[in-house]
Amino acid sequence: MGATGATGGALLTRLIDLGVPCRALSRHPDRLRTDISRTPDVEIHYADAADSDSLRAVFDGATQLFLTMPNSPDQVALETRVIEAAADRGIEHIVKLSAPTAAPDSPVAIARWHCEIEQVLRASGIAHTVLRPYAFMQKLALLGREVATRGAIVGTMGSAACNYIDCRDIADVAAAALTRPDIAGGTYTLTGSRTFGYPELAVLLSELLNTPIEYIDLPPTAFREYLIERSHLPHWLADHLTEIQRLAVEHPERPTDTVARILGRPPRTLESFLTENLGAFRQSTAATEQR
Ligand SMILES: NC(=O)c1ccc[n+]([C@@H]2O[C@H](COP(=O)([O-])OP(=O)(O)OC[C@H]3O[C@@H](n4cnc5c(N)ncnc54)[C@H](OP(=O)(O)O)[C@@H]3O)[C@@H](O)[C@H]2O)c1
């Protein structure tokens, strides 16, 4: 699932490299890269988690499933529907993309949703692997507009340490779980090799962009308002971003060595990710006009 997304797309690339036959699922199969449609080991199919018939049709004859779903208030219902369809069609192993601190009493609502889904997965009786990655480096691009137009990162994390991971490393671990019996069946907390605080991220971006970037730290309520009013985020997502940043302040994050242990190489670094993706943080002519 999620073959058009950051992690699912990277997993598809990895499975193609490994020569593993697979089905790439999307609600918009025409959006998948044309080179993928020419790969003999890949079948491209329409599937929508909101449409159980489409799921049952596409799971027929498949043995394993990579389960990922973007965050939304419907996430538990949709992922539950996917697990039910997988059970109905005899899928033998599910690799689920979850989140850190997935626990019933987590202060982060989305982590509680993932905990509920993990419980559904356990109750299904299907063998499963759970991946609990920390913040995706790929989502840092969402800071790009403010970095480009105001020279600023805005948050409510103070200088709290935060784990980041490149989605391509999550995908490589997912591929290992799908192809290696020694990895399948575990629950893995995934991080990069070191933490970064927002002030440090601002310094790093200043160096890479060769222009001063400052970190603006707001109180939690003001940060939530900023996300709703300036970034036009829905309330549930503004709540989520505020909750995870406050959690990082209250419970300092630490890296794990899980990616290196599973893959036999260190995780990709934040420096190299930002260097590859600096365009997302650069001032375009349009961005200059907004200033
Ligand atoms: N962002 C983070 O830092 C972070 C950290 C830890 C954990 N996570 C977890 O990672 C998961 C994935 O998050 P993400 O934001 O990266 O999502 P994403 O992978 O970008 O999700 C988008 C993918 O989901 C597919 N999709 C959306 N709705 C669907 C539906 N109804 N049926 C079938 N496929 C559907 C989309 O495919 P089509 O549009 O092509 O159908 C697309 O490929 C979330 O559950 C999140 O909690 C995220």
Side-chain angles (χ1 to χ4, degrees):
M1 300 192 74
T4 55
T7 307
L11 174 59
L12 183 56
T13 303
R14 180 79 184 132
L15 293 176
I16 291 170
D17 288 347
L18 292 171
V20 177
C22 55
R23 295 177 181 166
L25 312 185
S26 169
R27 291 164 305 166
H28 314 282
D30 50 311
R31 288 190 195 158
L32 278 156
R33 294 194 335 249
T34 45
D35 57 321
I36 285 169
S37 62
R38 288 197 292 270
T39 307
D41 280 339
V42 180
E43 294 173 21
I44 294 176
H45 291 277
Y46 164 83
D48 184 344
D51 170 4
S52 294
D53 289 343
S54 75
L55 296 172
R56 283 193 291 266
V58 86
F59 292 162
D60 230 357
T63 52
Q64 303 193 78
L65 169 68
F66 176 66
L67 170 57
T68 179
M69 195 62 63
N71 296 136
S72 82
D74 295 334
Q75 186 167 0
V76 176
L78 291 173
E79 291 200 38
T80 298
R81 198 170 294 182
V82 175
I83 294 165
E84 285 168 357
D88 185 67
R89 284 299 182 263
I91 296 264
E92 293 160 15
H93 176 213
I94 294 179
V95 177
K96 166 165 166 56
L97 186 55
S98 184
T101 72
D105 56 353
S106 171
V108 177
I110 287 173
R112 296 196 298 275
W113 300 349
H114 277 296
C115 175
E116 259 187 78
I117 299 162
E118 288 184 17
Q119 280 165 356
V120 172
L121 197 48
R122 277 194 288 281
S124 74
I126 303 174
H128 52 276
T129 305
V130 176
L131 308 182
R132 293 178 174 172
Y134 272 84
F136 297 174
M137 291 180 191
Q138 277 72 4
K139 298 283 172 177
L140 284 172
L142 298 175
L143 301 175
R145 190 178 64 114
E146 286 291 68
V147 170
T149 60
R150 285 175 75 189
I153 296 172
V154 181
T156 185
M157 258 201 305
S159 57
C162 188
N163 280 313
Y164 292 97
I165 180 161
D166 190 313
C167 288
R168 293 170 293 183
D169 285 336
I170 306 171
D172 288 351
V173 171
L178 291 165
T179 56
R180 285 172 43 188
D182 60 319
I183 302 303
T187 294
Y188 301 107
T189 300
L190 305 176
T191 71
S193 49
R194 57 158 294 200
T195 56
F196 275 83
Y198 267 176
E200 198 182 356
L201 179 62
V203 170
L204 180 58
L205 279 170
S206 305
E207 284 165 8
L208 293 172
L209 293 164
N210 202 21
T211 187
I213 307 298
E214 63 168 334
Y215 172 50
I216 301 173
D217 195 53
L218 299 177
T221 330
F223 178 61
R224 183 180 178 278
E225 287 304 306
Y226 156 85
L227 292 173
I228 292 167
E229 276 161 27
R230 181 159 168 100
S231 303
H232 308 293
L233 296 189
H235 287 206
W236 66 266
L237 189 50
D239 287 342
H240 173 61
L241 295 173
T242 309
E243 285 163 3
I244 52 172
Q245 294 204 13
R246 295 316 295 169
L247 188 64
V249 172
E250 283 150 27
H251 299 277
E253 296 181 2
R254 286 184 195 87
T256 67
D257 63 355
T258 314
V259 169
R261 273 194 294 109
I262 292 176
L263 301 180
R265 59 155 180 84
R268 291 167 173 89
T269 66
L270 187 59
E271 289 88 339
S272 65
F273 174 82
L274 292 174
T275 304
E276 266 181 81
N277 293 281
L278 266 190
F281 302 91
R282 280 222 162 93
Q283 218 163 353
S284 66
T285 312
T288 313
E289 282 164 6
Q290 285 177 29
R291 209 193 258 262

